[in-house]
Each structure stands twice: as structure tokens, then as C-alpha cells.
């Protein structure tokens, strides 16, 4: 099929660059336009961006002229990697002008008419865009990076056994702070026990994602979640230590089987960015580890390990997921693939 032209807002930032890297040679989408701040607008992308990815900057993107983030793009499908300080107003302008905006920013995550999507978890929530008051456009959002790894591990357990309470402590990579988020002196030989707004996101977002859509609104899941979030000196890959209490405690074997057998719409539809297995359990007591497991499934698979009895909850376990791939750019692209497969983009 002919590739679908897309535009990227915030294309010079860390998530924007990762979107460009992952969309290079994509089976369905072609980057036709890039947008950034007024200081970058009018320049060739190769001059406007300080490229920080491990791969080379794609030639076709390097030669694009950066546009202002205004709704005059020819591409009607827009990936937004804008900073939250400016994303709300700009994304709304694009949606009102008929653009289909898939956002990595937090601004609309709790708007009651905006879906907060992990494609394997709540694909049916996409139908919530029908409640938005835009003639042709819409806004759909990707969750927080730490939320995505956690909820992918929770989804098969909630479906099969029912979850009552969760306590989670995160050890989050420095790449989650963006290019200018931390200095080396902040994080070297250090753990920072506070990430602004992160604990609130991790306690609220899963409830919307795991909630049920009925009559044009989402009823949030009735799970108690307590979160503590820490920044550590790891380049990529968030690790999360989870304690979980079920409504009725399953066997350890049943929990592991639920993870290893879990597939959903993206796998069944064979979407280009979908990993064959979204969740993989490791018996090795030293797993998962960011350096060893963050790139599983092209960075789209969540690694789980260390499942054991908990004297306070029912079980405890550890998760590792790639925060800039599955937790940001790759997750956003998978949403776009799901939208296209279900006829919401060009159908």
C-alpha cells in the first residue's frame, strides 16, 4: 500500500527524535513534515536538531524544513512530542482544524472525552473519540512511560484474577527526564527520590486505562495504587518493584502463565510495531535488568521476574520496560497503527 504521510510536532526534542528513528522505513507511515519551536522553524532539520540517537539521522528528514507548530500541515495525521508546557493549546488547535493528533504529552490524559491508550490493554477505548466535538479531527493520548510498563504487566492479571491493591516503587532511567532534565552532577553516584508529578500519574492513569467504557464515558477501575518514584543513573529502561493483592489469590504458576500467554489485538492483527509477546516472564532471580532486557521485542516487550510470596500483599515481582520506546515513541506509533487498522485514520 502507499505509505501514509505524517507530521511530527516537537520533532527536535528527545521523544520527537525517537519517533523519527522508529518511523524510518516504517511499513505504513512516512514522515512528510516536522514542526518545532519558532527558533527552529525555517531551518533544515539537520541544522535545527542536535541529533542524540544512536542511529544516523535519516537523510530524508535531515532535508526537511522545520515548520512552526501551527495547523497548516499537509499531513492530517500528527504525532505530538511537544512539551506539556505548550502541548495543550497547540494540540487543540490542530484537532479543531481537522487533524488526527496522537499525543505523548500529558495535557489531555484525563479529559473525559480523550482516550488514554495502551493498544494491548484498552483498544476499545478508542471509540471515545466519537464523543469529541471536532468535525474530522481528534486527540488521543499515550500514557506516562512508567504507567505503560506497569499496566501491561497488570492487564492479564486483572482480567483473570482481579486486582485489589498495588504498591509500586520505580527506578527510572535518566532519559525519561528529556535532553535537559538533569545534569550529570545531579544523578551521578546518586538516587533522586522525587520526580515531579510522576507518582500522581502512576496512581491515577492505570485506573482510567483499566476502566470500562460505557455510554460515552469511562468508569475508572476500583484498584488501590500507591507509588514511589525515583530517578537513577541508568540511560534507558525503567524498573518497577511491585507488590500486589488479588481479590482471590491465584497460584504462582497461574500468574506466570497469564503473563507468558498474554496477547491482544496488536498481536492478532500483526501490527508492524507489535512485539510477538508483549510480556515475558524470566525465572532467573537476577532478571529483569535494564541493560539485558529493555530491548526485548524491539523495546516493545515488558520483562517480568522475581515473582514470590509477599508477607503483606499476595505476591511481589519486578518489571523492566524501555521508557523511550514502549513508554513513549514506540507506544505512540503502535496507537497510530491500531487506529489505522481499525479505520480511524484513513478508513
Amino acid at each position: 500500500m502507499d505509505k501514509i504521510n505524517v507530521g511530527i510536532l516537537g520533532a527536535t526534542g528527545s521523544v520527537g527524535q525517537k519517533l523519527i528513528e522508529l518511523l524510518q522505513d516504517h511499513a505504513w507511515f512516512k514522515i512528510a513534515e516536522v514542526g518545532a519551536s519558532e527558533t527552529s522553524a525555517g531551518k533544515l532539520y539537520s541544522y535545527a536538531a542536535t541529533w542524540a540517537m544512536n542511529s544516523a539521522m535519516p537523510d530524508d528528514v535531515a532535508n526537511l524544513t522545520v515548520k512552526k507548530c501551527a495547523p497548516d500541515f499537509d499531513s492530517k495525521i500528527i504525532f505530538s512530542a511537544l512539551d506539556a508546557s505548550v502541548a495543550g493549546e497547540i494540540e487543540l488547535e490542530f484537532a479543531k482544524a481537522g487533524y488526527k493528533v496522537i499525543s505523548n504529552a500529558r495535557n489531555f490524559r484525563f479529559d473525559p472525552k480523550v482516550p488514554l491508550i495502551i493498544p494491548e490493554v484498552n483498544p476499545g477505548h478508542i471509540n471515545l473519540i466519537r464523543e469529541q466535538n471536532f468535525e474530522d479531527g481528534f486527540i488521543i493520548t499515550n500514557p506516562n512511560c512508567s504507567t505503560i510498563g506497569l499496566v501491561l504487566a497488570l492487564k492479564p492479571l486483572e482480567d483473570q484474577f482481579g486486582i485489589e491493591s498495588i504498591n509500586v516503587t520505580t527506578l527510572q532511567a535518566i532519559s525519561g527526564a528529556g535532553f535537559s532534565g538533569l545534569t550529570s552532577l545531579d544523578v551521578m553516584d546518586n538516587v533522586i527520590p522525587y520526580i515531579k508529578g510522576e507518582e500522581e500519574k502512576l496512581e491515577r492513569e492505570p485506573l482510567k486505562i483499566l476502566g470500562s467504557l460505557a455510554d460515552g464515558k469511562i468508569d475508572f477501575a476500583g484498584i488501590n495504587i500507591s507509588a514511589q518514584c525515583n530517578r537513577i543513573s541508568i540511560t534507558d529502561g525503567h524498573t518497577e518493584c511491585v507488590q500486589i493483592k488479588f481479590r482471590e489469590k491465584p497460584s504462582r504458576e497461574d500468574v506466570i502463565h497469564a503473563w507468558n500467554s498474554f496477547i491482544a489485538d496488536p498481536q492478532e492483527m500483526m501490527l508492524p510495531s507489535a512485539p510477538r509477546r508483549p510480556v515475558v516472564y524470566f525465572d532467573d532471580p537476577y532478571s529483569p535488568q535494564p541493560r539485558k532486557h529493555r530491548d526485548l521485542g524491539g523495546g516493545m516487550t515488558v520483562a517480568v521476574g522475581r515473582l514470590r510470596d509477599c508477607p503483606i500483599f499476595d505476591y511481589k515481582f519486578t518489571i523492566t520496560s524501555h521508557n523511550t520506546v514502549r513508554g513513549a515513541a514506540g507506544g505512540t506509533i503502535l496507537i497510530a497503527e491500531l487506529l489505522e487498522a481499525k479505520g480511524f485514520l484513513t478508513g
Side-chain angles (χ1 to χ4, degrees):
M1 70 180 197
D2 293 335
K3 291 190 178 182
I4 303 164
N5 286 344
V6 301
I8 298 175
L9 305 180
T12 58
S14 58
V15 176
Q17 290 191 23
K18 182 59 74 172
L19 279 166
I20 290 169
E21 182 179 57
L22 295 178
L23 286 168
Q24 184 179 8
D25 301 321
H26 191 277
W28 295 0
F29 303 127
K30 176 184 177 182
I31 303 169
E33 295 159 287
V34 291
S37 66
E38 291 190 3
T39 58
S40 297
K43 300 176 182 177
L44 288 179
Y45 184 80
S46 57
Y47 289 100
T50 301
W51 189 251
M53 300 294 104
N54 291 328
S55 60
M57 181 186 293
D59 290 339
D60 52 349
V61 176
N63 293 318
L64 291 176
T65 298
V66 178
K67 296 186 171 185
K68 294 181 181 179
C69 292
D72 58 0
F73 280 44
D74 294 324
S75 306
K76 290 299 182 182
I77 297 161
I78 300 294
F79 291 99
S80 174
L82 292 167
D83 185 84
S85 62
V86 297
E89 181 178 349
I90 293 172
E91 291 174 1
L92 190 59
E93 288 178 354
F94 271 81
K96 287 180 177 178
Y99 292 86
K100 298 168 181 180
V101 180
I102 306 150
S103 174
N104 193 71
R106 68 172 182 263
N107 302 68
F108 292 102
R109 287 177 183 164
F110 285 98
D111 186 303
K113 295 181 180 180
V114 174
L116 182 61
I117 296 292
I118 302 173
E120 286 92 346
V121 176
N122 59 336
H125 287 193
I126 286 174
N127 291 295
L128 194 61
I129 62 176
R130 303 183 194 278
E131 304 298 319
Q132 296 180 16
N133 297 317
F134 310 122
E135 185 174 347
D136 295 312
F138 58 73
I139 299 171
I140 194 165
T141 57
N142 192 36
N144 177 263
C145 49
S146 55
T147 298
I148 293 175
L150 175 65
V151 174
L152 274 166
L154 296 181
K155 171 62 174 176
L157 308 184
E158 167 68 1
D159 283 354
Q160 295 192 35
F161 315 119
I163 298 170
E164 186 176 295
S165 300
I166 296 161
N167 182 55
V168 55
T169 298
T170 70
L171 307 170
Q172 297 185 213
I174 55 176
S175 57
F179 287 154
S180 58
L182 293 167
T183 69
S184 58
L185 289 177
D186 286 328
V187 73
M188 284 179 61
D189 190 32
N190 203 13
V191 173
I192 300 172
Y194 174 68
I195 306 172
K196 185 178 180 181
E198 200 79 1
E199 291 166 355
E200 293 82 1
K201 295 173 193 173
L202 196 50
E203 290 175 351
R204 292 187 66 209
E205 289 182 3
L207 306 183
K208 182 174 181 178
I209 298 163
L210 293 169
S212 56
L213 176 63
D215 299 322
K217 69 181 186 71
I218 293 174
D219 293 321
F220 283 28
I223 301 172
N224 298 312
I225 303 177
S226 178
Q228 297 185 87
C229 298
N230 306 271
R231 187 76 70 192
I232 64 170
S233 187
I234 294 291
T235 304
D236 291 310
H238 288 352
T239 296
E240 305 181 45
C241 301
V242 183
Q243 296 169 282
I244 186 167
K245 183 171 181 58
F246 294 99
R247 296 193 184 98
E248 186 171 334
K249 184 178 178 178
S251 70
R252 183 177 182 275
E253 293 72 22
D254 284 345
V255 172
I256 293 171
H257 182 265
W259 281 325
N260 284 335
S261 62
F262 175 59
I263 61 169
D265 284 10
Q267 287 70 42
E268 292 171 353
M269 302 172 83
M270 300 180 68
L271 300 182
S273 297
R276 186 174 63 86
R277 295 173 64 186
V279 183
V280 175
Y281 183 80
F282 290 87
D283 284 316
D284 172 17
Y286 293 96
S287 296
Q289 299 178 22
R291 193 167 62 188
K292 290 184 177 181
H293 301 112
R294 63 193 171 204
D295 293 319
L296 287 174
M300 296 291 284
T301 292
V302 173
V304 186
R306 302 209 67 221
L307 179 68
R308 58 218 190 274
D309 287 320
C310 177
I312 300 173
F313 290 70
D314 287 328
Y315 290 109
K316 48 191 174 182
F317 56 89
T318 304
I319 299 166
T320 291
S321 61
H322 200 305
N323 55 295
T324 66
V325 181
R326 170 58 88 159
T332 308
I333 293 168
L334 188 59
I335 291 172
E337 294 169 0
L338 182 67
L339 288 166
E340 172 60 16
K342 290 184 175 289
F344 285 93
L345 291 187
T346 60

